[in-house]
Amino acid sequence: MSEAFSVPYFKENFQQYIERNKDVFTKTHAMNAYYRSIVGTLINDNLNKNSEIVRRIRNLETAYIEIKNEN
């Protein structure tokens, strides 16, 4: 299991979300839906440390790009 909110964590979750929704969404639509959901959750989270939110969003962005570019 990957460390929560790390790049591998988000990559795993992207892949799972894509697989679970393959009958409903294209890969890109599934990734965008997951991305928006996570960003919304992070923004509304009551974290006191802005740097932690930024780290999580950066990791999410990196995972998004890496999964998007996979064949």
Coordinates of all heavy atoms in Angstrom, one line a residue:
M1 N 0.8 -1.2 0.0 CA 0.0 0.0 0.0 C 0.9 1.2 0.0 O 1.9 1.3 0.7 CB -0.9 0.0 1.2 CG -1.9 1.0 1.3 SD -3.2 0.5 0.1 CE -4.4 1.7 0.3
S2 N 0.5 2.2 -0.8 CA 1.3 3.4 -0.9 C 1.0 4.4 0.2 O -0.1 4.3 0.8 CB 1.0 4.1 -2.3 OG 1.3 3.3 -3.3
E3 N 2.0 5.3 0.5 CA 1.8 6.3 1.5 C 0.6 7.2 1.0 O 0.5 7.6 -0.2 CB 3.0 7.1 1.6 CG 2.9 8.3 2.6 CD 4.1 9.2 2.6 OE1 5.2 8.7 2.1 OE2 4.0 10.3 3.0
A4 N -0.3 7.5 1.9 CA -1.4 8.4 1.6 C -1.0 9.7 1.0 O 0.0 10.3 1.4 CB -2.3 8.6 2.8
F5 N -1.6 10.0 -0.1 CA -1.5 11.3 -0.9 C -0.1 11.4 -1.6 O 0.3 12.5 -2.0 CB -1.7 12.5 0.1 CG -3.0 12.4 0.8 CD1 -3.1 12.2 2.1 CD2 -4.2 12.6 0.0 CE1 -4.3 12.2 2.8 CE2 -5.4 12.5 0.7 CZ -5.5 12.3 2.0
S6 N 0.6 10.3 -1.7 CA 1.8 10.3 -2.5 C 1.5 10.1 -4.0 O 0.3 9.8 -4.3 CB 2.8 9.1 -2.1 OG 2.1 7.9 -2.4
V7 N 2.4 10.3 -4.9 CA 2.2 10.1 -6.3 C 1.7 8.6 -6.6 O 0.7 8.4 -7.3 CB 3.4 10.5 -7.2 CG1 3.2 10.1 -8.6 CG2 3.7 12.0 -7.1
P8 N 2.4 7.6 -6.0 CA 2.0 6.3 -6.3 C 0.5 6.0 -5.7 O -0.3 5.3 -6.4 CB 3.0 5.4 -5.5 CG 4.2 6.2 -5.5 CD 3.7 7.6 -5.4
Y9 N 0.2 6.6 -4.6 CA -1.2 6.5 -4.1 C -2.2 7.0 -5.1 O -3.2 6.4 -5.4 CB -1.2 7.3 -2.8 CG -2.6 7.5 -2.2 CD1 -3.2 6.6 -1.4 CD2 -3.3 8.7 -2.4 CE1 -4.4 6.7 -0.8 CE2 -4.6 8.9 -1.9 CZ -5.1 7.9 -1.1 OH -6.4 8.1 -0.6
F10 N -2.0 8.2 -5.6 CA -2.9 8.8 -6.5 C -2.9 8.0 -7.8 O -4.0 7.9 -8.4 CB -2.6 10.3 -6.8 CG -3.0 11.2 -5.7 CD1 -2.1 12.1 -5.1 CD2 -4.3 11.2 -5.3 CE1 -2.5 12.9 -4.0 CE2 -4.7 12.1 -4.2 CZ -3.8 12.9 -3.6
K11 N -1.8 7.5 -8.3 CA -1.8 6.7 -9.5 C -2.6 5.5 -9.3 O -3.4 5.1 -10.2 CB -0.3 6.4 -9.9 CG 0.5 7.5 -10.5 CD 1.9 7.1 -10.8 CE 2.0 6.3 -12.0 NZ 3.3 6.1 -12.5
E12 N -2.5 4.8 -8.2 CA -3.3 3.6 -7.9 C -4.8 4.0 -8.0 O -5.6 3.2 -8.6 CB -3.0 3.1 -6.5 CG -1.8 2.2 -6.4 CD -1.6 1.7 -5.0 OE1 -2.5 1.3 -4.3 OE2 -0.4 1.8 -4.6
N13 N -5.1 5.1 -7.3 CA -6.5 5.5 -7.3 C -7.1 5.9 -8.6 O -8.2 5.6 -9.0 CB -6.7 6.6 -6.2 CG -6.7 6.0 -4.8 OD1 -7.5 5.1 -4.5 ND2 -5.8 6.5 -4.0
F14 N -6.2 6.6 -9.4 CA -6.7 6.9 -10.8 C -7.0 5.6 -11.6 O -8.0 5.5 -12.2 CB -5.6 7.7 -11.6 CG -5.6 9.2 -11.4 CD1 -4.6 9.9 -10.9 CD2 -6.8 9.9 -11.8 CE1 -4.6 11.3 -10.8 CE2 -6.8 11.3 -11.7 CZ -5.7 12.0 -11.2
Q15 N -6.1 4.7 -11.5 CA -6.2 3.4 -12.3 C -7.5 2.7 -11.8 O -8.2 2.1 -12.6 CB -5.0 2.6 -12.2 CG -3.8 3.2 -12.9 CD -2.5 2.6 -12.6 OE1 -2.3 2.0 -11.5 NE2 -1.6 2.7 -13.6
Q16 N -7.7 2.6 -10.5 CA -8.9 1.9 -10.0 C -10.2 2.7 -10.4 O -11.1 2.0 -10.8 CB -8.8 1.9 -8.4 CG -7.8 0.9 -7.9 CD -7.7 1.0 -6.4 OE1 -8.4 1.6 -5.7 NE2 -6.7 0.3 -5.9
Y17 N -10.2 4.0 -10.4 CA -11.3 4.7 -10.7 C -11.6 4.6 -12.2 O -12.8 4.4 -12.6 CB -11.1 6.2 -10.4 CG -12.4 7.0 -10.5 CD1 -13.2 7.1 -9.3 CD2 -12.8 7.7 -11.6 CE1 -14.4 7.8 -9.4 CE2 -14.0 8.4 -11.7 CZ -14.8 8.5 -10.5 OH -15.9 9.2 -10.6
I18 N -10.6 4.6 -13.0 CA -10.8 4.3 -14.5 C -11.4 3.0 -14.7 O -12.3 2.8 -15.5 CB -9.4 4.5 -15.2 CG1 -9.0 5.9 -15.2 CG2 -9.5 4.0 -16.7 CD1 -7.5 6.1 -15.6
E19 N -10.8 2.0 -14.0 CA -11.3 0.6 -14.2 C -12.8 0.4 -13.8 O -13.6 -0.2 -14.5 CB -10.4 -0.4 -13.5 CG -10.8 -1.8 -13.6 CD -10.8 -2.4 -15.0 OE1 -10.0 -1.9 -15.8 OE2 -11.6 -3.3 -15.3
R20 N -13.1 1.0 -12.6 CA -14.5 0.9 -12.1 C -15.5 1.6 -13.0 O -16.7 1.3 -12.9 CB -14.5 1.5 -10.7 CG -14.0 0.5 -9.6 CD -14.4 1.0 -8.2 NE -14.1 2.4 -7.9 CZ -13.0 2.8 -7.2 NH1 -12.2 1.9 -6.7 NH2 -12.8 4.0 -7.0
N21 N -15.1 2.6 -13.7 CA -16.0 3.4 -14.5 C -15.9 3.3 -16.0 O -16.4 4.1 -16.7 CB -15.9 4.9 -14.1 CG -16.3 5.1 -12.7 OD1 -17.5 5.2 -12.4 ND2 -15.4 5.3 -11.7
K22 N -15.2 2.2 -16.4 CA -14.9 2.1 -17.8 C -16.1 1.9 -18.7 O -16.1 2.2 -19.9 CB -13.9 0.9 -18.1 CG -14.5 -0.4 -17.7 CD -13.4 -1.5 -17.9 CE -14.0 -2.9 -17.5 NZ -12.9 -3.9 -17.6
D23 N -17.2 1.5 -18.1 CA -18.5 1.3 -18.9 C -19.2 2.6 -19.0 O -20.2 2.7 -19.8 CB -19.4 0.3 -18.2 CG -18.8 -1.1 -18.2 OD1 -17.9 -1.4 -19.1 OD2 -19.2 -1.9 -17.4
V24 N -18.8 3.6 -18.2 CA -19.6 4.9 -18.2 C -18.7 6.0 -18.7 O -19.3 6.9 -19.4 CB -20.0 5.2 -16.7 CG1 -20.8 6.5 -16.6 CG2 -20.8 4.1 -16.1
F25 N -17.4 6.1 -18.4 CA -16.6 7.2 -18.8 C -15.4 6.7 -19.7 O -14.9 5.6 -19.5 CB -15.9 7.8 -17.6 CG -16.9 8.5 -16.6 CD1 -16.9 8.2 -15.3 CD2 -17.8 9.4 -17.1 CE1 -17.7 8.8 -14.4 CE2 -18.6 10.1 -16.2 CZ -18.6 9.8 -14.8
T26 N -14.9 7.6 -20.5 CA -13.7 7.4 -21.2 C -12.6 7.5 -20.1 O -12.8 8.0 -19.0 CB -13.4 8.4 -22.3 OG1 -13.3 9.7 -21.7 CG2 -14.5 8.4 -23.3
K27 N -11.4 7.1 -20.4 CA -10.3 7.3 -19.5 C -10.1 8.7 -19.1 O -10.0 9.0 -17.9 CB -9.0 6.8 -20.1 CG -7.7 7.0 -19.3 CD -6.5 6.5 -20.0 CE -5.2 6.8 -19.2 NZ -4.0 6.3 -19.9
T28 N -10.1 9.6 -20.0 CA -10.0 11.1 -19.7 C -11.1 11.6 -18.8 O -10.9 12.3 -17.9 CB -9.9 11.9 -21.0 OG1 -8.8 11.4 -21.8 CG2 -9.7 13.4 -20.7
H29 N -12.4 11.2 -19.2 CA -13.5 11.7 -18.4 C -13.4 11.1 -16.9 O -13.7 11.9 -16.0 CB -14.8 11.3 -19.0 CG -15.2 12.1 -20.2 ND1 -15.1 11.6 -21.4 CD2 -15.6 13.4 -20.3 CE1 -15.4 12.6 -22.3 NE2 -15.7 13.7 -21.6
A30 N -13.0 9.9 -16.8 CA -12.9 9.3 -15.5 C -11.8 10.0 -14.7 O -12.0 10.3 -13.5 CB -12.6 7.8 -15.6
M31 N -10.7 10.3 -15.3 CA -9.6 10.9 -14.6 C -10.0 12.3 -14.2 O -9.6 12.8 -13.1 CB -8.3 11.0 -15.6 CG -7.7 9.7 -15.8 SD -6.3 9.7 -16.9 CE -5.2 10.7 -15.9
N32 N -10.7 13.1 -15.1 CA -11.1 14.4 -14.7 C -12.1 14.4 -13.6 O -12.0 15.3 -12.7 CB -11.7 15.1 -15.9 CG -10.7 15.5 -17.0 OD1 -9.5 15.5 -16.7 ND2 -11.1 15.7 -18.2
A33 N -13.0 13.4 -13.6 CA -14.0 13.3 -12.5 C -13.3 13.0 -11.1 O -13.6 13.7 -10.1 CB -15.0 12.2 -12.8
Y34 N -12.3 12.1 -11.2 CA -11.6 11.8 -9.9 C -10.8 13.0 -9.5 O -10.8 13.4 -8.3 CB -10.7 10.6 -10.2 CG -9.8 10.3 -9.0 CD1 -10.4 9.6 -7.9 CD2 -8.5 10.7 -8.9 CE1 -9.6 9.3 -6.8 CE2 -7.7 10.4 -7.8 CZ -8.3 9.7 -6.7 OH -7.5 9.4 -5.6
Y35 N -10.1 13.7 -10.4 CA -9.3 14.8 -10.1 C -10.1 15.9 -9.5 O -9.7 16.5 -8.4 CB -8.7 15.3 -11.4 CG -7.6 16.4 -11.3 CD1 -6.3 16.0 -11.2 CD2 -7.9 17.7 -11.1 CE1 -5.3 17.0 -11.1 CE2 -6.9 18.7 -11.0 CZ -5.6 18.3 -11.0 OH -4.6 19.2 -10.9
R36 N -11.2 16.3 -10.1 CA -12.1 17.3 -9.5 C -12.6 16.9 -8.1 O -12.7 17.8 -7.2 CB -13.3 17.6 -10.4 CG -12.9 18.4 -11.7 CD -14.1 18.8 -12.4 NE -15.0 17.8 -12.8 CZ -15.0 17.1 -13.9 NH1 -14.1 17.3 -14.8 NH2 -15.9 16.1 -14.1
S37 N -12.9 15.7 -7.9 CA -13.4 15.2 -6.6 C -12.3 15.4 -5.5 O -12.6 15.9 -4.5 CB -13.8 13.8 -6.7 OG -14.1 13.2 -5.5
I38 N -11.1 15.0 -5.9 CA -10.0 15.1 -4.9 C -9.6 16.5 -4.6 O -9.5 16.9 -3.5 CB -8.8 14.3 -5.4 CG1 -9.1 12.8 -5.5 CG2 -7.6 14.5 -4.5 CD1 -9.5 12.2 -4.1
V39 N -9.5 17.4 -5.6 CA -9.2 18.8 -5.4 C -10.3 19.4 -4.6 O -10.0 20.2 -3.6 CB -9.0 19.5 -6.8 CG1 -8.9 21.0 -6.5 CG2 -7.8 19.0 -7.5
G40 N -11.5 19.2 -4.8 CA -12.6 19.7 -4.0 C -12.5 19.3 -2.6 O -12.7 20.1 -1.7
T41 N -12.2 18.0 -2.4 CA -12.0 17.5 -1.0 C -10.8 18.2 -0.3 O -10.9 18.6 0.9 CB -11.8 16.0 -1.0 OG1 -13.0 15.4 -1.6 CG2 -11.7 15.5 0.4
L42 N -9.7 18.3 -1.0 CA -8.5 18.9 -0.4 C -8.8 20.4 -0.1 O -8.3 20.9 1.0 CB -7.3 18.8 -1.4 CG -6.8 17.4 -1.6 CD1 -5.7 17.4 -2.6 CD2 -6.3 16.8 -0.3
I43 N -9.4 21.1 -0.9 CA -9.7 22.5 -0.7 C -10.6 22.7 0.5 O -10.4 23.6 1.3 CB -10.3 23.2 -2.0 CG1 -9.2 23.3 -3.0 CG2 -10.8 24.6 -1.6 CD1 -9.7 23.7 -4.4
N44 N -11.6 21.8 0.6 CA -12.5 21.9 1.8 C -12.0 21.3 3.0 O -12.7 21.4 4.1 CB -13.9 21.4 1.4 CG -14.5 22.2 0.3 OD1 -14.6 23.4 0.5 ND2 -15.0 21.6 -0.7
D45 N -10.9 20.6 3.0 CA -10.3 20.0 4.2 C -9.9 21.0 5.2 O -9.4 22.1 4.8 CB -9.1 19.1 3.8 CG -8.7 18.1 4.9 OD1 -9.3 18.2 6.0 OD2 -7.9 17.2 4.6
N46 N -10.0 20.8 6.4 CA -9.7 21.8 7.4 C -8.2 21.6 7.8 O -7.9 21.7 9.0 CB -10.6 21.6 8.6 CG -12.0 22.1 8.3 OD1 -12.2 23.1 7.6 ND2 -13.0 21.5 9.0
L47 N -7.3 21.4 6.9 CA -5.9 21.3 7.2 C -5.4 22.7 7.6 O -5.7 23.7 6.9 CB -5.1 20.8 6.0 CG -5.4 19.4 5.6 CD1 -4.6 19.1 4.3 CD2 -4.9 18.4 6.7
N48 N -4.6 22.8 8.6 CA -4.0 24.1 9.0 C -2.8 24.4 8.2 O -2.3 25.5 8.2 CB -3.7 24.0 10.5 CG -5.0 24.0 11.3 OD1 -6.0 24.6 11.0 ND2 -4.9 23.3 12.5
K49 N -2.2 23.4 7.6 CA -0.9 23.6 6.9 C -1.2 23.7 5.4 O -1.4 22.8 4.7 CB 0.0 22.4 7.2 CG 0.3 22.3 8.6 CD 1.2 21.1 8.9 CE 1.4 20.9 10.4 NZ 2.1 19.7 10.6
N50 N -1.1 25.0 4.9 CA -1.2 25.2 3.5 C -0.2 24.4 2.6 O -0.5 24.0 1.5 CB -1.1 26.7 3.1 CG -2.4 27.4 3.6 OD1 -3.4 26.8 3.7 ND2 -2.3 28.7 3.8
S51 N 1.0 24.2 3.2 CA 2.0 23.5 2.4 C 1.6 22.1 2.2 O 2.0 21.5 1.2 CB 3.4 23.6 3.2 OG 3.3 23.0 4.4
E52 N 0.9 21.5 3.2 CA 0.4 20.1 3.0 C -0.6 20.0 1.9 O -0.6 19.1 1.1 CB -0.2 19.6 4.3 CG -0.7 18.2 4.3 CD 0.4 17.1 4.0 OE1 1.6 17.4 4.1 OE2 0.0 16.0 3.6
I53 N -1.5 21.0 1.8 CA -2.5 21.0 0.7 C -1.7 21.1 -0.6 O -2.0 20.4 -1.6 CB -3.5 22.1 0.9 CG1 -4.3 21.8 2.1 CG2 -4.3 22.3 -0.4 CD1 -5.3 23.0 2.5
V54 N -0.8 22.0 -0.7 CA 0.0 22.2 -1.9 C 0.7 20.9 -2.3 O 0.7 20.5 -3.5 CB 1.0 23.4 -1.8 CG1 1.9 23.4 -3.0 CG2 0.2 24.7 -1.7
R55 N 1.4 20.2 -1.3 CA 2.1 19.0 -1.6 C 1.1 17.9 -2.2 O 1.4 17.2 -3.2 CB 2.7 18.4 -0.3 CG 3.5 17.1 -0.5 CD 4.0 16.6 0.8 NE 3.0 16.0 1.6 CZ 2.5 14.7 1.4 NH1 3.0 14.0 0.4 NH2 1.6 14.2 2.2
R56 N -0.1 17.8 -1.6 CA -1.0 16.8 -2.1 C -1.5 17.1 -3.5 O -1.6 16.2 -4.3 CB -2.2 16.7 -1.1 CG -1.8 16.1 0.2 CD -3.0 16.1 1.2 NE -2.6 15.6 2.5 CZ -3.5 15.3 3.5 NH1 -4.8 15.6 3.3 NH2 -3.0 14.9 4.6
I57 N -1.8 18.4 -3.7 CA -2.2 18.7 -5.1 C -1.1 18.5 -6.1 O -1.4 18.1 -7.2 CB -2.8 20.2 -5.1 CG1 -4.1 20.2 -4.3 CG2 -3.0 20.7 -6.5 CD1 -4.7 21.6 -4.1
R58 N 0.1 18.8 -5.8 CA 1.2 18.6 -6.7 C 1.4 17.1 -7.0 O 1.6 16.7 -8.1 CB 2.6 19.1 -6.1 CG 2.7 20.6 -6.2 CD 4.1 21.0 -5.7 NE 4.2 22.5 -5.8 CZ 4.9 23.2 -4.9 NH1 5.5 22.7 -3.9 NH2 4.9 24.5 -5.1
N59 N 1.2 16.3 -5.9 CA 1.3 14.8 -6.2 C 0.1 14.3 -7.0 O 0.3 13.5 -7.9 CB 1.3 14.1 -4.8 CG 2.6 14.2 -4.1 OD1 3.6 14.6 -4.7 ND2 2.6 13.9 -2.8
L60 N -1.0 14.9 -6.8 CA -2.2 14.5 -7.6 C -1.9 14.9 -9.1 O -2.2 14.1 -10.0 CB -3.4 15.3 -7.1 CG -4.7 15.1 -7.9 CD1 -5.2 13.6 -7.8 CD2 -5.8 16.0 -7.3
E61 N -1.4 16.1 -9.3 CA -1.1 16.6 -10.7 C -0.1 15.7 -11.3 O -0.2 15.3 -12.5 CB -0.6 18.0 -10.6 CG -0.3 18.6 -12.0 CD -1.5 18.8 -12.9 OE1 -2.6 18.8 -12.4 OE2 -1.3 19.0 -14.1
T62 N 1.0 15.3 -10.6 CA 2.0 14.4 -11.2 C 1.4 13.1 -11.6 O 1.7 12.6 -12.7 CB 3.2 14.3 -10.2 OG1 3.7 15.5 -9.9 CG2 4.2 13.3 -10.7
A63 N 0.6 12.5 -10.7 CA 0.0 11.2 -11.0 C -1.0 11.4 -12.2 O -1.0 10.5 -13.0 CB -0.8 10.7 -9.8
Y64 N -1.7 12.4 -12.3 CA -2.6 12.7 -13.4 C -1.8 12.6 -14.7 O -2.2 12.0 -15.7 CB -3.3 14.0 -13.2 CG -4.3 14.3 -14.3 CD1 -5.6 14.0 -14.2 CD2 -3.9 15.0 -15.5 CE1 -6.6 14.3 -15.2 CE2 -4.8 15.3 -16.5 CZ -6.1 15.0 -16.3 OH -7.0 15.3 -17.3
I65 N -0.8 13.4 -14.8 CA 0.0 13.5 -16.0 C 0.6 12.1 -16.4 O 0.6 11.7 -17.5 CB 1.1 14.5 -15.8 CG1 0.5 15.9 -15.8 CG2 2.2 14.4 -17.0 CD1 1.4 17.0 -15.3
E66 N 1.1 11.4 -15.3 CA 1.8 10.1 -15.6 C 0.7 9.1 -16.1 O 1.0 8.3 -17.1 CB 2.5 9.6 -14.4 CG 3.8 10.4 -14.1 CD 4.5 9.9 -12.8 OE1 4.1 8.9 -12.2 OE2 5.4 10.6 -12.4
I67 N -0.4 9.0 -15.5 CA -1.5 8.1 -15.9 C -2.0 8.5 -17.3 O -2.3 7.6 -18.2 CB -2.6 8.0 -14.9 CG1 -2.1 7.4 -13.6 CG2 -3.8 7.2 -15.4 CD1 -1.6 5.9 -13.7
K68 N -2.2 9.8 -17.5 CA -2.7 10.2 -18.8 C -1.8 9.9 -20.0 O -2.3 9.5 -21.1 CB -2.9 11.8 -18.8 CG -3.5 12.3 -20.0 CD -3.7 13.8 -19.9 CE -4.3 14.4 -21.1 NZ -4.5 15.8 -21.1
N69 N -0.5 9.9 -19.7 CA 0.4 9.6 -20.8 C 0.7 8.1 -21.0 O 1.4 7.7 -21.9 CB 1.7 10.3 -20.5 CG 1.6 11.8 -20.7 OD1 0.8 12.3 -21.5 ND2 2.3 12.6 -19.9
E70 N 0.1 7.2 -20.1 CA 0.3 5.8 -20.3 C -0.6 5.4 -21.5 O -1.7 5.9 -21.7 CB -0.1 5.0 -19.0 CG 0.9 5.1 -17.9 CD 0.4 4.4 -16.7 OE1 -0.7 3.7 -16.7 OE2 1.2 4.4 -15.7
N71 N -0.2 4.3 -22.1 CA -1.0 3.8 -23.2 C -2.1 2.9 -22.8 O -2.4 2.3 -22.1 CB -0.1 3.0 -24.2 CG 0.8 4.0 -24.9 OD1 0.5 5.1 -25.1 ND2 2.0 3.5 -25.3

